């Protein structure tokens, strides 16, 4: 995988989706962009015209996070909350996530691993769902395209933060 290449998506089990993406930045900086609201707001913004009025992240075991996006002109709303069960700063985050209104089904496990890869970071996002049907429903939403759009914004932020 080349850094900045589009993400790769695999389904290694009936209940998992694994998203892998390389970034041209060290793990501590990619991790910071996932856990510090001032940085999260600069890349996890959603489609053009959307805002993120709520962005909270308490990066500790037992901590939680919440992100809310509002569409332009009050059209559209999306929100996700998570509870962190395990965290190893700059290396790993294990949480349970759920989207408001059940738009992505019931709560699921979301694991993030930040791996040093040369002078960059390989991010592995393992999502474990309640069933094959749940996994396939989420996969059919176009989540990969939306994630890659956000990751391109993260690429730009990482470049800016490194000067």
């Amino acid at each position: 995988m080349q850094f900045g290449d589009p993400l790769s998506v695999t389904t290694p089990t009936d209940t998992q989706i694994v998203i892998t993406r390389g970034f041209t930045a060290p793990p501590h900086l990619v991790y910071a962009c996932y856990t510090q609201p001032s940085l999260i707001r600069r890349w996890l913004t959603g489609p053009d015209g959307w805002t993120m009025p709520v962005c909270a992240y308490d990066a500790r075991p037992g901590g939680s996070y919440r992100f809310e996006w509002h569409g332009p002109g009050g059209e559209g709303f999306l929100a996700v909350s998570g509870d962190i069960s395990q965290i190893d700063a700059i290396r790993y985050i294990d949480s349970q996530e759920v989207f408001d209104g059940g738009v992505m089904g019931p709560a699921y496990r979301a694991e993030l691993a930040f791996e040093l890869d040369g002078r960059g970071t390989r991010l592995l996002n393992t999502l474990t769902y309640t069933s094959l049907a749940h996994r396939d429903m989420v996969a059919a939403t176009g989540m990969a395209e939306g994630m890659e759009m956000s990751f391109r914004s993260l690429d730009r932020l990482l470049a800016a933060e490194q000067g």
Side-chain angles (χ1 to χ4, degrees):
M1 165 178 287
Q2 296 295 310
F3 295 109
D5 277 354
L7 56 81
S8 97
V9 179
T10 60
T11 52
T13 73
D14 283 352
T15 59
Q16 288 185 320
I17 297 174
V18 177
I19 297 117
T20 307
R21 176 68 150 69
F23 295 97
T24 308
H28 74 273
L29 185 53
V30 179
Y31 174 87
C33 288
Y34 265 85
T35 59
Q36 295 177 17
S38 63
L39 294 172
I40 295 167
R41 285 181 187 274
R42 293 173 57 193
W43 72 273
L44 194 60
T45 55
D48 287 342
W50 284 62
T51 61
M52 187 185 215
V54 175
C55 179
Y57 203 105
D58 182 9
R60 63 180 177 83
S64 63
Y65 53 91
R66 177 145 178 100
F67 309 132
E68 292 182 10
W69 299 269
H70 294 206
E75 297 291 321
F77 173 80
L78 186 65
V80 64
S81 298
D83 293 313
I84 299 166
S85 58
Q86 183 181 353
I87 195 162
D88 182 6
I90 81 165
R91 291 179 187 85
Y92 180 76
I93 302 169
D94 187 357
S95 63
Q96 285 283 109
E97 275 185 358
V98 65
F99 279 80
D100 284 15
V103 296
M104 293 290 188
Y108 56 91
R109 184 178 183 188
E111 296 173 272
L112 292 166
F114 305 84
E115 299 178 351
L116 180 63
D117 192 351
R119 291 182 12 191
T121 301
R122 182 169 49 152
L123 175 71
L124 288 120
N125 186 356
T126 303
L127 304 169
T128 304
Y129 298 97
T130 57
S131 66
L132 173 63
H134 186 194
R135 182 202 75 181
D136 289 350
M137 181 273 296
V138 172
T141 65
M143 67 177 273
E145 293 81 5
M147 290 177 83
E148 182 56 30
M149 179 185 67
S150 293
F151 285 156
R152 286 190 203 121
S153 294
L154 180 53
D155 286 333
R156 291 188 293 276
L157 174 58
L158 292 166
E161 289 295 309
Q162 295 178 93

